[in-house]
Amino acid sequence: MTVTLADVAARARVSPATVSRVLNGNYPVAASTRERVLRAVDDLDYVLNGPASSLAAATSDLVGILVNDIADPFFGIMAGAAQTQIGGPGDGSGRAGGEKLAVICNTGGSPERELTYLTLLQRQRAAAVVLTGGAVEDPAHQAAIAAKLAKLADAGTRIVFCGRPPLPEGDALVAALAFDNRGGGRRLTEHLISLGHRRIGYVAGPPERTTTRHRLEGHREALRAAGAVEEGGTAEGAEAEDRLTVHGPYDRRSGYEATLELLRRAPDVTAIVAANDTVALGACAAVRDQGMRIPQDISVAGFDDLPFSVDAVPALTTVRLPLFEAGARAGRLAMGKENPPPGGIATIAAELMIRGSTAAPRG
Amino acid sequence: MTVTLADVAARARVSPATVSRVLNGNYPVAASTRERVLRAVDDLDYVLNGPASSLAAATSDLVGILVNDIADPFFGIMAGAAQTQIGGPGDGSGRAGGEKLAVICNTGGSPERELTYLTLLQRQRAAAVVLTGGAVEDPAHQAAIAAKLAKLADAGTRIVFCGRPPLPEGDALVAALAFDNRGGGRRLTEHLISLGHRRIGYVAGPPERTTTRHRLEGHREALRAAGAVEEGGTAEGAEAEDRLTVHGPYDRRSGYEATLELLRRAPDVTAIVAANDTVALGACAAVRDQGMRIPQDISVAGFDDLPFSVDAVPALTTVRLPLFEAGARAGRLAMGKENPPPGGIATIAAELMIRGSTAAPRG
DNA sequence: ACAGCCGTAGCAAGCGCTTTCTATCAGGGA
DNA sequence: TCCCTGATAGAAAGCGCTTGCTACGGCTGT
């Protein structure tokens, strides 16, 4: 029924050990023998039994990539980029070639599913795991994840964070690539302030995510530095900040609804900063549906600079994150093709992209 | 070092066989014994060895999902939806629960990589494989893929097509879910024709893809039915069709450039149909950069109805494909949770969404 | 009371591959 | 000429799990 190593060995008139060595190419085999074996492999259309191989070698060629939402290009781009570095081009034959099987796992942002996938990957003795995107800040889950990662690392699995802050007690991991969300958020709001905006609404992501918090913190840093919310004392400033912030999921619809809420609470905002570009698109729609023009009546800004941002009308002012580059680098780190950054952590710069959706508020 | 089944068995004072049966739950085990085993599993923090298990059982719990470009939400949405049906919620523990590990494989649209991934999946003895999106029409590759799929099916792997036409000699596969690209394309162009458009440009996808061909065929069917290109004879009609069609990859940039080319070739077109929404966005940008307004000066339409389409300004007229539903159904088929459609093939309707980007041409 | 069963648990034989250790052979230096 | 060395190939022992078959009580039916 199934062709096994032994069948190939028989046909090539060598021992199974030799066939294995030819296939893995990590032991000297005479050229003539190798050729004979390879021909037998082709003749019989042999395909290695992965589980058997993994069992015997105690390692597998699986690399897991965990994402929060694969339908979101933010993750799609990173995951795709990582995969370009992991699944080598291959030769179409059944032979190994250093390429691994990159598997993208969609957690849907749920910590439980994240843990489940990590366990599944642990079961498969994955060669590496890449965790992308913001983490949930619940201490219990942080600890659970950290414990699981420690076990994985123990078993020889390489761990890479991409666009995700390192663990508090992050030691087991090979490398963390963190986006400068705080700095990006700060520069974006500084830009709005420099245009003359003072009442700036913020449509934030889910409160429990690190990404949300960091971007929001950057925003508020800029606000405070400019004294933009000082209308008496710090207490009132904080109150104003809260009133001008609405949280919701990272999707278009949430952006739409949160913006409506924001406009209701504070009809006098002159600018709205969204948690990301997708949310910003929803915000734009809401602003427009309220009969206001962008940017004449109200400025809108996003974050991430996803491909569609430049095509929005007007083009979205946003903060560019080098998603592809970061994903590719994470992939290389996972493959051990690249050395981890000093200290294990690299912060990736976020670049302000000023486009048409922001302008000075009306006199 | 690593905890094995035997360790658990020893601690629970039962045989390894019993532990295995408790974990797999497919053999009667007394409640008291089961509990003892489960406690031992927890105590020792045991995690099943996937490769060993797959080897012994001759099956694995991997399900592969092949996509052309994971950075494209078209695929992201389908893949994410499929995964919701495949990777059960799990319980966070190491225990099995019918859930499988859904792995998304990014082929980049390359047939070689598609084949490579299929081999990798075959190696892993995958439980099922879902192939999404249009196929490349090269006969050699068609045959290679068909042969590979036949082998996979032989080995017990379930095969599902999603948004991909069935193989010419498609028999081995469980089910094919095909989008009505031709019908959608036809209705879209009929809509434009009914608005009064006669000179309609078409920004097509890569010529070798089935999706491209079907959508284009639908477009031309509508054109011919309306006699819109008849300016003498059929030969001239065909020539006009070719002149008004520009091929390119399925991305924004290609849409931009192809539209510029189209406008150069035929400055008098009153409408442009794009291969998909992403391309349409590029087309819109090009139209605008040429100083024309949408839809007053020129109408633009897309295909797919990706989430951002409704947020384009003006909102994009397009053809809605139920990507999430199709992906979820494909996932269920892959899991054997749902029966294949009669004949193995189901055609999924495409719905015309008329929005602001199309209007009657200027008198 | 005895044969026959059902419900459970254990034994042991692999699943197909990797890898350590050993065997063999052809040369080359002394 | 003989022994030592380097280059290859083979033998065999698992890797950790699943599962067919066997074993063993206690029950039921007659």
Side-chain angles (χ1 to χ4, degrees), chain A residues 83-352:
Chain A
Q83 209 163 37
T84 61
Q85 303 297 319
I86 293 169
D91 56 5
S93 85
R95 268 164 263 138
E99 79 260 33
K100 311 238 182 251
L101 214 204
V103 314
I104 300 173
C105 306
N106 201 211
T107 65
S110 142
E112 291 78 28
R113 287 178 64 81
E114 188 165 74
L115 224 37
T116 303
Y117 273 121
L118 248 19
T119 300
L120 243 26
L121 256 9
Q122 182 184 7
R123 235 190 231 185
Q124 301 299 332
R125 307 300 190 247
V129 172
V130 178
L131 293 102
T132 66
V136 166
E137 299 205 302
D138 178 51
H141 280 301
Q142 294 260 45
I145 296 279
K148 183 59 94 180
L149 290 180
K151 257 176 238 146
L152 276 162
D154 251 32
T157 299
R158 231 180 244 120
I159 315 280
V160 180
F161 280 14
C162 181
R164 178 169 178 140
L167 254 16
E169 345 73 56
D171 38 7
L173 45 81
V174 162
L177 264 26
F179 291 127
D180 183 19
N181 283 312
R182 191 179 277 107
R186 180 163 35 69
R187 282 193 294 284
L188 180 56
T189 297
E190 281 169 359
H191 156 69
L192 288 170
I193 290 171
S194 76
L195 284 174
H197 293 278
R198 285 302 172 271
R199 303 195 70 78
I200 304 174
Y202 194 94
V203 179
E208 72 280 7
R209 306 229 141 235
T210 48
T211 311
T212 300
R213 185 164 60 78
H214 292 160
R215 291 180 183 179
L216 183 51
E217 283 173 4
H219 168 70
R220 292 186 170 174
E221 268 174 37
L223 245 31
R224 283 173 202 157
V229 291
E230 284 177 27
E231 302 176 349
T234 307
E236 282 184 38
E239 192 185 301
E241 278 182 355
D242 283 349
R243 198 168 50 89
L244 292 179
T245 303
V246 182
H247 284 274
Y250 277 125
D251 61 34
R252 186 220 172 241
R253 176 159 173 205
S254 150
Y256 186 92
E257 286 166 5
T259 301
L260 253 26
E261 166 67 16
L262 204 50
L263 258 19
R264 209 173 298 129
R265 286 193 202 167
D268 58 344
V269 292
T270 60
I272 291 177
V273 177
N276 71 20
D277 290 346
T278 306
V279 171
L281 238 41
C284 286
V287 165
R288 232 175 262 119
D289 285 359
Q290 292 298 297
M292 288 182 278
R293 290 162 305 163
I294 302 169
Q296 294 89 337
D297 300 321
I298 201 162
S299 289
V300 176
F303 209 111
D304 291 348
D305 194 23
L306 294 185
F308 59 72
S309 305
V310 72
D311 285 315
V313 179
L316 213 52
T317 288
T318 186
V319 176
R320 156 165 273 266
L321 255 27
L323 300 173
F324 191 92
E325 294 76 4
R329 188 166 169 200
R332 263 177 272 126
L333 285 166
M335 293 293 280
K337 285 185 197 167
E338 181 177 319
N339 291 123
I345 302 175
T347 297
I348 296 182
E351 183 191 359
L352 180 60

Side-chain angles (χ1 to χ4, degrees), chain B residues 5 17 20 24 46 56:
Chain B
L5 236 212
S20 171
N24 292 302
Y46 170 70

Side-chain angles (χ1 to χ4, degrees), chain A residues 4-5 17 20-21 24 46 53 56:
Chain A
T4 72
L5 235 212
S20 171
R21 298 202 260 244
N24 292 303
Y46 170 69
S53 166

Side-chain angles (χ1 to χ4, degrees), chain B residues 336-357:
Chain B
K337 286 186 194 166
E338 180 178 320
N339 291 122
I345 302 176
T347 297
I348 296 181
E351 183 191 358
L352 180 60
M353 305 297 283
I354 299 177
R355 294 203 273 246
S357 69

Side-chain angles (χ1 to χ4, degrees), chain B residues 193-278:
Chain B
I193 290 172
S194 77
L195 284 174
H197 292 278
R198 286 302 173 269
R199 303 194 70 76
I200 304 174
Y202 194 93
V203 180
E208 72 281 6
R209 305 228 142 235
T210 48
T211 311
T212 300
R213 184 163 62 79
H214 293 160
R215 290 180 185 180
L216 183 51
E217 283 173 5
H219 169 69
R220 293 188 169 171
E221 269 174 38
L223 244 32
R224 283 173 201 158
V229 291
E230 283 178 28
E231 301 176 348
T234 307
E236 281 184 39
E239 192 186 303
E241 278 181 356
D242 283 350
R243 199 168 49 89
L244 293 178
T245 303
V246 181
H247 285 273
Y250 277 124
D251 62 33
R252 187 222 171 238
R253 176 158 174 207
S254 151
Y256 186 91
E257 287 166 4
T259 301
L260 254 26
E261 166 67 16
L262 204 50
L263 258 21
R264 209 173 298 131
R265 284 194 203 167
D268 58 344
V269 294
T270 60
I272 291 178
V273 177
N276 71 19
D277 289 347
T278 306

